[in-house]
Amino acid sequence: MKPALKVINLRVNHTDHEIAVKPHHTLARVLREQLGLTGTKIGCEEGDCGACTVLLDGRPVSSCLVLAVQAQGHEITTIEGLAENGQLHPLQQAFVEHGAIQCGFCSPGMLLAAKALLDDNPHPDEGQIRHAISGNLCRCTGYQKIVEAIQDAAGKLSGDAGRGERS
Amino acid sequence: MTVVRFDVIQPRTVAEAVAALQQAGELAQPVAGGTDILRDLRLGSKKLELLVSLDRVADLAGVRQEDDGAFTIGATTTMAHLAGSTPVVERLSALADAAGWMGSPQVRNRATFGGNLCNARPCADTAPPAMVLGAELELQGPAGSRRVPAGEFMTGPGQTVRRGEELLRAVRFPAPAPHSGSAFFTVTNRKAVEITITSAAAWLRLEEAGGPVVEARVALGSVAPRPIRAPGAEAELVGKVPDEAVLQAAARAAVADATPIDDLRAAAVYRRWMVEAMVKRALLRALERCGRQTP
Amino acid sequence: MSKPQVLGSRAPRLDAPAKATGQALYTDDIVKPGMLHAAILRSPLAHARILNIDTSRARALPGVKAVLTPEQTPDTWFGVSPARYDERVLCREKALYVGDEIAAVAAIDRDTAREALELIEVDYEPLEVVFDARQALAEGAPQIHPLYPGNLNAEVHQEFGDVAAARKLARVIKTGRLESEMQDAAFLEPQAAIASFDLHGRLELITSTQSVHYIQRAVAMVLGLTMDRVRVIKPYVGGGFGPKAGPASHELIACLLARQTGRPVKLVFDREEVFLHSRARHKFFHEMTLGADENGQLLFLEHEALLDGGAYSSFGIATVYYAGSLLGGPYRLPSMKYDGRRAVTNKPSCGAQRGHGGVIARALFERLMDELAQELGQDPIELRLKNVMHTGETTCNDLNMSSLGMRECLEAVYENSDWKLKRGRLPRGRGIGVACGFFVSGAGYPIYRSDTYHSTATVRLLEDGGGVLVETASAEIGQGSDTTMAMIAAETIGVPLEMVRVVSGDSDYGVDLGAYSSRQTLMTGHAVRQAAEQVRQVVVEVVAGLLDLSPDELVIRDGLVLAADGCELDITDLRVRYTREHRGWSDNPQQGPLTFREASRLAYLERGSIVATGRYKPPPLGGKYKGAAVGTSPAYGCSAQVAEVNVDLETGQVTVEAVTGAHDCGRAINLTSVEGQMQGSVSMGLGEALFERVQFDPRGRVSNANLADYKIPTALDMPPVKALVVETNEPNGPFGAKEVGEGAIMPTIPAILNALYDATGVRFEKLPVSAERVLAALKGEKLPDEANLGPGFCRLPPERKD
């Protein structure tokens, strides 16, 4: 069978893209292969590892389980949308400084899960942090420095509150 | 992984969705969050040509409490929504317990109540809570709608009474009774991203605070081809003041109601031990919550 | 040496920003014009004769550009060690495990390639299968691999000292067994490769690998090319841990399809293929007897091991040796007998995985140490301290501890964990345990017999600006080696880290055996240091000449050229000359000492391009006995850990509450990276202790080939890990540095097992120690034989076409 391509509008990192997709293609594939946004990684394509995490209307989802056609009409944030004007987001900066990145394959998904957490809960405790990233597997770090980086970024972000929007 | 090709339509109303299902027949299925279906398709355990995506259907998600206190929960309400909804947490606690635990944060933001019930896994975590809370599933077909009690919905692994052309529209819960409470417990190896090895949901209604049990419902997950009630456990509870010994006896009695098998996740003997452990924990927590139930 | 400028710091990794922003390109992120996508048809049967392969329908599918069958591939044997070259690109005659490569296709996109696979019709004659290593070696078992009669892949028999005599002197003797399951490395990035030929017939292979050199050799050998016609490039890699260190069929397949089609060909594994390919941790059966005198001094070890190796060798010949040799230390053990065998079975091939053959063996050994301590009424740390080797000592199997901080590591965990507070005082269900371990800092010999250097490196001073470029074929796979090399170069030359750039993971940059056996800090580090030192010397010579001084009167520090005695130097003329060449620049140095930026320019003007090479290979190491090579190393890292567990006595679930680890890495080049390696090692050890095992269905297919059912720890499963760094200044290491990446996993499983004994009184003999195993042990009940369990109710069984 060969279903027809569907033309959809995807709003990714505040930019609109009009593209033709195959109905069975996932958001992960379309982001990577049609929009060239390869920052979103594919670790298992079954929703078990979190490497493909993107934010859909600010909430972390496994993009390998979201059909591209279902993503139309939503705000999609990928890792490429975190830094602004070449400036690292405080989370990215903290990850770099704390050694929270080793091989880096889990990092895009991890950062976005952390961002969603801090947007929702600016002062999480360690348990809440670990809970928020429990769907992001990491084989390299043991999570220790990731947790420390998120704690540090939380402190900096809430310290900066009122000094201007960082979305 | 198998090659997967299918078409997707995105109807805007339940009627459109139902019509599409009716027309397409066996090779079509509704999809909401897709966290189960897309995996099954890729693993080759399901073959479909059309997915009827419910993501644009209006009024299919959300938690609504009627004037009489009854709940109507839209089929495409996500787990995250259920776990974060104060009325659900307070009144349908077992459901919130299950919804807030399963999968991962990413999965919970997409997986839906309706999807979890319709995929009908024996380990479906929202099923035991739905069963003990007296839920009824509203199925919409081309000819009209019908209601099916939660306990009668699943018939086997991946099997439900939903006809191909029917859409699960909502799940209704009766108004919570005074002095009642519910809870859900599960056991797994890791602390996240796990499939339930054995689960138990319990609901108790007391005559009065500290009083005897008027009604009890206990349901078990992952210990039979579908989630089941535990009548043996329930019989031990009704009419008795639920002290430690009574709860223990009920938990022990639940074991005989289960028919677990050895599989790659756990041995049957372990599952039997866990029936007792999980039922006990669920009953204790449900009892605690009876005390907190404000009318 | 004066106070380090860069070493020992927490400098952020050079590649972290690229990884944090999604800019880092891993193999599957790379696209080449005209690129095709390949996929591999794998055997659905565990043991079968291949009677016929009909590709006609696949070839006819629109979009398919090439189909590869065995006759179109070279029948050259390859593998990891030349003594065990036992694989070919595609199966000939027989498939030996579910997943064995039968055929391959290249098509215009991924979907078409996979669809084409389903159109290839293969006639198989199923053969008798054997999944159990003991059955495989038994009389009458079906013969699996043509090269290994009786399914015996390797055997090792070693004796050091006189075990029989030692036995007679022993006053305390403990015997024990441990059986583990096959495990997976579970790196987040599945294998991927892109091959392309240029119009001169030169091959470029981009691949997610740990060793461009080993892959380059295998590709050249199998494709019949000279090495100079093959270039292997490692882009960013999402973890390796061992399985990516050896060449694999998918890399060769991509190359062959690229040659056939004249187009670049990309091949990416899905997660199931990662499991089917494996080359990860073996399944081990260990039986050991450990004896000591009445004071607890160790006297002898008798050790028998059986490795279930799966269908092919991979690194397995080294694994079966390491399983024995890595018990020679870190305690004084005067005599040791080891009999090890590796069996062939109809399952995915096992190879090297973090800690290699030493991990499970160490787990049993450390358990027996605790049992000795118990019998003698000694504290487990006390018993170990009594036995630790010291720097300078040599093991009974000729492994020389040129530095060994085992005592310091034990003392560090004793002081910094809750051992004193909690040992012997915890209620039932809670426990605290300790263990030690050690590992090589690079294998003493390459995997192919050769006089080759283990590492070569080039350090180039850019002609203007003062930038230093380090070129190395070494593999940054996430462990931080690029940053380490940059720091070594910066420290050696005397410039800030920001002035150094590293390019790596490309066979064009020289020879480097790659990231395995925990070798790069020591070996690549030596080569980089040597090259950097030469660069430093040239600059110093030139400037000294211009100032009419001798070179040893100058030093370079923090990017400045200074007089060694601290006096001020008159550099006016030099500065004028530099500034004249840089009219228009707004930031030319104006006052202060001569900068490296200026000095390097002047050096170029005098000498031309300043490029230096470094090289390293270990001296001949080890004893003269068979297999002596495996276990030898120029240096050994060592580790101690204390773990606390909490057991839910009702469910058997184990929570590891805390881990305190101390590791002797000789000298921490980058403190954060050392801690990170320690914490990562603990997480893999914890997963292997409690959750991880590869499971098989009755037909030999991996039944949990996904990351939901193969369980690596999540953030909720990992406790905080306190990482303490011990430094013993290793004489054979650059700046005193040696390994951390694999030594730090050695104590984890036994520390948890010993803690579990403290908590429950049970000595677990099977790994992983799942909740159900714990509960069954607590209840004194048996679990059913776990072999060959089906998927059960909750994963609808996939349709299989045989």
Side-chain angles (χ1 to χ4, degrees), chain C residues 676-699:
Chain C
Q677 287 294 289
M678 292 170 71
Q679 291 161 345
S681 292
V682 169
S683 80
M684 184 178 277
L686 188 153
E688 295 194 34
L690 299 180
F691 312 127
E692 297 182 37
R693 58 180 169 145
V694 178
Q695 296 170 278
F696 294 91
D697 73 13
R699 284 187 312 204

Side-chain angles (χ1 to χ4, degrees), chain B residues 43 262-265, chain C residues 43-47 97-99 129-132 181-182 272 275-276 346-348 693-705 709 785-792 795-802:
Chain B
L43 290 171
D262 296 326
D263 73 12
L264 71 88
R265 260 168 230 111
Chain C
S43 171
L45 298 174
H47 196 196
Y97 71 100
V98 177
V129 297
V130 55
F131 299 129
D132 181 294
E181 294 298 329
M182 182 174 146
E272 186 184 22
F275 283 97
L276 295 179
N346 291 120
K347 289 186 296 192
R693 58 180 169 145
V694 178
Q695 296 170 278
F696 294 91
D697 73 13
R699 284 187 312 204
R701 185 179 195 111
V702 177
S703 56
N704 64 336
D709 291 321
D785 177 11
E786 290 168 36
N788 305 331
L789 293 173
R795 172 91 66 192
L796 303 181
E799 287 174 26
R800 296 281 171 230
K801 286 202 301 254
D802 296 330

Side-chain angles (χ1 to χ4, degrees), chain A residues 1 3 6 23-24 26 45-46 48 53 56 59-62 64-66 69-70 72 131-132 134-136, chain B residues 1 4-8 10 32-33 35 38-39 42-43 49 53 55-56 104-106 108-110 192-193:
Chain A
M1 54 160 327
K6 294 201 188 307
H24 69 273
T26 61
E45 213 154 21
E46 293 179 5
D48 298 328
T53 301
L56 202 63
R59 298 211 163 83
V61 299
S62 292
C64 71
L65 293 180
V66 176
V69 297
Q70 290 178 316
Q72 183 168 215
H131 195 258
S134 60
N136 293 80
Chain B
M1 258 197 271
V4 174
R5 283 194 210 278
F6 49 79
D7 198 2
V8 179
Q10 292 164 288
T35 53
L38 291 183
R39 296 180 70 145
R42 278 181 215 147
L43 290 171
E49 284 185 3
S53 176
D55 67 303
R56 291 191 196 162
S104 64
Q106 287 87 335
R108 293 193 287 274
N109 282 328
R110 294 287 294 167
V193 197

Side-chain angles (χ1 to χ4, degrees), chain B residues 240-257:
Chain B
K240 303 200 179 115
V241 172
D243 61 20
E244 169 86 29
V246 165
L247 296 183
Q248 183 61 59
R252 202 168 297 131
V255 177
D257 294 323

Side-chain angles (χ1 to χ4, degrees), chain C residues 346-410:
Chain C
N346 291 120
K347 289 186 296 192
S349 312
C350 298
Q353 178 172 323
R354 195 169 209 166
H356 212 160
V359 174
I360 309 298
R362 176 58 52 187
L364 177 57
F365 188 96
E366 292 293 313
R367 193 187 93 200
L368 293 178
M369 287 293 281
D370 259 33
E371 294 192 38
L372 286 178
Q374 188 180 37
E375 176 138 340
L376 290 164
Q378 288 182 19
D379 173 280
I381 291 186
E382 191 194 318
L383 178 76
R384 287 170 169 84
L385 281 171
K386 199 173 282 200
N387 282 283
V388 291
M389 294 173 72
H390 295 145
T391 293
E393 292 178 13
T394 300
T395 67
C396 65
N397 54 339
D398 289 318
L399 308 182
N400 176 254
M401 304 292 131
S402 39
S403 73
L404 192 75
M406 195 67 259
R407 158 168 303 278
E408 291 86 325
C409 288
L410 268 168

Side-chain angles (χ1 to χ4, degrees), chain B residues 2 15 70 149 181 207 287:
Chain B
T2 322
E207 193 173 278
L287 187 60

